[in-house]
Every structure is written in C-alpha cells, then in structure tokens.
Amino acid sequence: MLVPFRALLEERRAKRAAAGAFTCYDVTTALGVVRAAEQRAAPVVLLVSEASFRAPESRLLVPALLAVAERADVAACVQIDHVRDPGLIASALAAGVGAVLADGSGLPLDENAALVRRAVAAAPQGVGIEAELGRIQGGEDVAAAVAAGAFTDPAEAAAFAELTGADCLAVSIGNVHGTYAATPRLDWERLERIRERVGDLPLSLHGASGLPPADVRRAISLGICKVNVNTEIRRRYLSELSASLPAVLPGLRLLELELAVIAAVADAVAELLDLLGPSLSH
Ligand code: 13P
C-alpha cells in the first residue's frame, strides 16, 4: 500500500530501524523488491534514478512502479532519486510519486537550500522531499571525497534542516555510490554530531552496496532510518540473467527467465532487509 514518505520514515525511526530504498529499472526489479519486503513484513521505497526518469523510453516506469507499490501488502513509496534540475524536480512532483530527492549537493550551500526550499513549497500535501548536504561521490575513492571537503558539516546540517523544511537528509560521512575502491571508513563521530544537531529529522545513508553489514547496523544505531541500494541489486539481477540464459534460450522460455530474475532480486533484497531491522544497541 502507498504510504506517505515522511510517515514511512518516522515509523522506522521510532523503531530504531531503517527503510530499504532500492533502485528499480523495471517492473521485474520492483516485483523482486516488493516480494522480499512482503516476506520480511518491512516497508520499502522503490527508487527511480534520474537517468531512468529522464529517458523517454521509461515514461511508463513511474506509473508501473506506483501500481506495484499500491498492490504491495506492506507500506511502500516511490521516490525519484537525485534530481537537481528545477524543471525535472517539477516534473517529478507532477508524476504522482511519494518523494523526490532534490539534490543540490553540487551547488553552493545557499543555492542548495534555495532548491530544496522551492521543492518543499511546491510538493503536494504528503509528498516528501529529501535533500543532500555534503557531496556523496560516485566511483571515486573516499580519500578524494575527504580532500574535496565533501563530508556533511553537522552545524550546517542543523541550519539547513531548519531553513529548508526537508523531510529527510542524505549524509556524506565516507559513503560513496557504486563500488568501494578500498574498505570504507565511515566517520561515526560526524554522524553522531549530525544526529545531535538535526534532532528528529530522518537521515539517509546512500551508497550502501559494499558496506560491511556491521557498518550498516552501526549507522542505524546512530540514527540512520533510510538506506539506499542500487549497485548490489543490479549485480544480482545481471548475474542471474547471465546464469539462467543458456538454459532458457533453446526453448525461448522468457517467463522462466523473468521469474528467476525476480527471485534473485528478492533474495538480494531480503538479505539487505534483514540488516535494517530494529537496532538493539542504542
Ligand atoms: P549504491 O549503488 O552504492 O548502492 O548506491 C545507491 C544509492 O545511494 C542510490 O541513491
């Protein structure tokens, strides 16, 4: 069932747990995500990447994911991830989704705040706006991110949250999108200070693919209540596809292939959801 973004996150925060947010490139992925969420009785966010949202070929992706989320037996929400262009944010808000990440993290602080404030003002009732402060890098090593001063500043986070009215803040504490070149070393003290400064505002951790399970648990114990995953789902989807292909090709058994991929995505998501449950160490 579709549930407002903020309510979904607040429920997780109150339970010292996190919602899994998984990038879905097609209905096959979404069906796998929802199957796992139903098996684990866990709420879930179906993410649409900016590239997918922009692509004319995927015009039907958002309505399709909304239909999958609506029919789910668990709380679910569809979110457009990482959009910076104001026109695209307006289209995302008009698309009927439950949340948008208005990503001004590449802009100067005041312009980031203005972008998020405008998105919050334009969002229909119940539609959530996530913001990103500091810059979560993609593919680079973490040392480069530190050197670039891209980590979230706790004092700025407090002022930013107050000024923008965002529903959720994505933090940069040593996490990166994509694969980790070296063992990630998250800045726990920084996360604690951010949490103290922003009060009850839901915090999200992006780039969870490749993070050690103990790190994900620790982040939740320190107040993260949304965890974004993309790369790991794509990896599991594509390895199942290539493993199953030789067996189904001779008979052109496409449905069998699709069912195998749904099951593989569901397995991957279930493993991750098991990590996101209530934290005992807080
Ligand atoms: P990964 O691809 O590293 O899992 O990151 C996904 C993400 O943060 C999407 O917003």
Side-chain angles (χ1 to χ4, degrees):
M1 78 214 73
L2 289 169
V3 164
F5 182 69
R6 184 72 184 249
L8 187 151
L9 297 185
E10 294 288 1
E11 183 273 341
R12 289 288 89 184
R13 197 172 54 74
K15 291 204 165 112
R16 301 200 186 290
F22 303 96
T23 312
C24 298
Y25 289 87
D26 54 19
V27 171
T28 305
T29 328
L31 290 171
V33 170
V34 164
R35 179 188 294 179
E38 287 174 341
Q39 281 165 359
R40 295 298 192 265
V44 82
V45 179
L46 307 181
L47 296 173
V48 177
S49 73
E50 193 215 18
S52 282
F53 187 62
R54 270 184 194 277
E57 293 75 15
S58 46
R59 196 168 297 135
L60 289 176
L61 183 62
V62 168
L65 296 194
L66 283 168
V68 173
E70 195 172 8
R71 283 165 181 73
D73 283 343
V74 289
C77 185
V78 176
Q79 178 180 23
I80 313 284
D81 209 10
H82 293 289
V83 256
R84 167 168 161 177
D85 175 65
L88 209 59
I89 292 175
S91 313
L93 290 173
V97 294
V100 178
L101 168 46
D103 183 359
S105 61
L107 300 169
L109 183 63
D110 55 338
E111 290 176 37
N112 184 1
L115 184 88
V116 175
R117 229 184 11 244
R118 273 199 303 275
V120 169
Q125 178 74 22
V127 173
I129 299 296
E130 182 172 343
E132 179 174 321
L133 187 62
R135 180 121 187 94
I136 301 163
Q137 312 283 320
E140 291 97 325
D141 68 59
V142 177
V146 182
F151 281 20
T152 307
D153 178 89
E156 273 180 14
F160 187 86
E162 177 94 28
L163 193 67
T164 60
D167 295 288
C168 178
L169 187 66
V171 295
S172 173
I173 55 166
N175 46 319
V176 297
H177 288 126
T179 41
Y180 286 85
T183 308
R185 294 169 67 87
L186 300 188
D187 185 342
W188 301 114
E189 203 221 316
R190 184 178 297 269
L191 178 57
E192 270 179 82
R193 283 191 290 130
I194 296 168
R195 171 81 285 156
E196 280 162 21
R197 300 298 287 263
V198 302
D200 286 345
L201 180 68
L203 296 176
S204 64
L205 183 71
H206 286 232
S209 302
L211 279 183
D215 281 5
V216 176
R217 300 288 303 159
R218 188 165 175 190
I220 295 167
S221 78
L222 294 175
I224 291 290
C225 66
K226 173 173 179 269
V227 172
N228 280 32
V229 185
N230 177 350
T231 305
E232 180 59 15
I233 304 303
R234 276 189 285 144
R235 193 179 68 75
R236 298 280 284 266
Y237 183 125
L238 290 171
S239 49
E240 181 61 40
L241 194 68
S242 63
S244 296
L245 205 50
V248 301
L249 256 184
L252 304 177
R253 297 195 305 276
L254 189 55
L255 178 61
E256 195 176 312
L257 182 66
E258 167 157 29
L259 296 178
V261 173
I262 292 173
V265 169
D267 284 349
V269 170
E271 283 167 27
L272 289 156
L273 291 177
D274 286 342
L275 269 183
L276 307 185
S279 151
L280 305 172
S281 58
H282 201 67

